[in-house]
Amino acid sequence: MKTVLILGAAGQISSYLVSELLKETDFKLKLFARNATKRINVTDPSRETVIDGDFNDTQTLTIAMKDVDAVYLNEMRDLPSVKKIVSAMDDNGVKQFIGATVLGIEDEVKGAFGNWNTSMIESSITRRKKTAAVIKDSDLDYTILRLAWLFNDDKNTAYEITDSGQPFGGTEVSRQAVAKLITAILKDETGKYARQSLGVNEPNTNFDKPSFY
């Protein structure tokens, strides 16, 4: 039985991911977040373990990695944290990493939307290029998810993916769709997602900016 450590488990994508994994798999889940016991509502105590912790607390992070098969990081924002996560994974022999980040870190967003995206999140892109480089330079079986602009819609779970080197496919995607993709990656046993950086968007959303802007 697979055990997945979700880092940033109180985040929105993480909450949808937990629900999806409980429904679609028999995986055990470790839910790691600051003030986690106050922020996370456990629905299946036999499968969910809540861990209060900070990514920069090496001891807690290392303990959380024990007997883990895969790690999902809800936000690849902070460079020191990402370095500590990689180190803790290496120390515990954990290979599979899935990380959510922003679109634009590979200069893959073209045209009017690309210009708009850069104008909105240029500093975020610059910061996350550095965290992505740490992951890519590691020996982890990583999957980096470059996410389009996010919204919530329980009825909209459509997504499409683009590979590195391809222009980004659209402007937006639901968090629920992202949770479904992460679940599919965690369930996959072929290794096809290993050492991949994937753009993630909703099909047919090739606009100049997201529809909700």
Side-chain angles (χ1 to χ4, degrees):
M1 184 184 298
K2 197 168 191 173
T3 298
V4 179
L5 173 61
I6 299 178
L7 299 174
Q12 290 191 72
I13 292 174
S14 292
S15 66
Y16 293 122
L17 175 61
V18 169
S19 177
E20 192 72 14
L21 289 172
L22 290 174
K23 182 174 64 175
E24 298 293 334
T25 76
D26 63 354
F27 299 165
K28 288 189 175 295
L29 309 177
K30 292 186 177 185
L31 310 179
F32 187 108
R34 291 178 182 173
N35 302 312
T37 52
K38 295 180 180 179
R39 299 168 66 199
I40 295 173
N41 181 35
V42 170
T43 60
D44 187 347
S46 69
R47 293 174 58 192
E48 297 172 82
T49 302
V50 174
I51 303 169
D52 284 317
D54 185 295
F55 298 155
N56 289 306
D57 180 352
T58 303
Q59 183 177 5
T60 306
L61 193 59
T62 300
I63 292 170
M65 293 279 179
K66 188 174 190 244
D67 299 323
V68 163
D69 300 292
V71 171
Y72 167 67
L73 176 59
N74 195 56
E75 172 54 76
M76 288 171 55
R77 178 191 300 115
D78 184 63
L79 185 60
S81 296
V82 170
K83 289 180 177 179
K84 285 184 172 66
I85 290 164
V86 171
S87 179
M89 290 182 69
D90 286 341
D91 289 346
N92 284 272
V94 184
K95 296 296 289 183
Q96 185 176 16
F97 172 89
I98 303 168
T101 191
V102 300
L103 71 172
I105 61 169
E106 297 181 359
D107 302 314
E108 78 281 25
V109 190
K110 307 300 182 183
F113 175 50
N115 294 333
W116 180 87
N117 187 65
T118 300
S119 73
M120 295 291 283
I121 60 167
E122 185 171 14
S123 63
S124 295
I125 292 170
T126 299
R127 188 160 59 246
R128 286 163 179 80
K129 283 182 177 181
K130 295 176 182 177
T131 56
V134 170
I135 298 300
K136 291 179 180 179
D137 288 344
S138 75
D139 63 355
L140 300 177
D141 293 330
Y142 66 80
T143 311
I144 294 172
L145 304 178
R146 296 173 277 111
L147 303 179
W149 286 71
L150 296 163
F151 65 97
N152 295 333
D153 186 346
D154 287 333
K155 296 179 179 178
N156 187 344
T157 58
Y159 64 83
E160 65 181 5
I161 57 178
T162 49
D163 295 325
S164 287
Q166 292 183 316
F168 202 85
T171 59
E172 59 195 62
V173 69
S174 75
R175 292 179 178 87
Q176 290 88 335
V178 175
K180 281 195 172 291
L181 172 58
I182 297 166
T183 300
I185 295 169
L186 288 168
K187 288 172 68 176
D188 177 71
E189 296 181 354
T190 69
K192 68 179 180 180
Y193 296 106
R195 300 193 69 81
Q196 300 290 321
S197 172
L198 305 175
V200 186
N201 63 274
E202 179 185 337
N204 304 312
T205 60
N206 190 17
F207 313 134
D208 288 348
K209 60 183 180 180
S211 62
F212 41 84
Y213 271 85

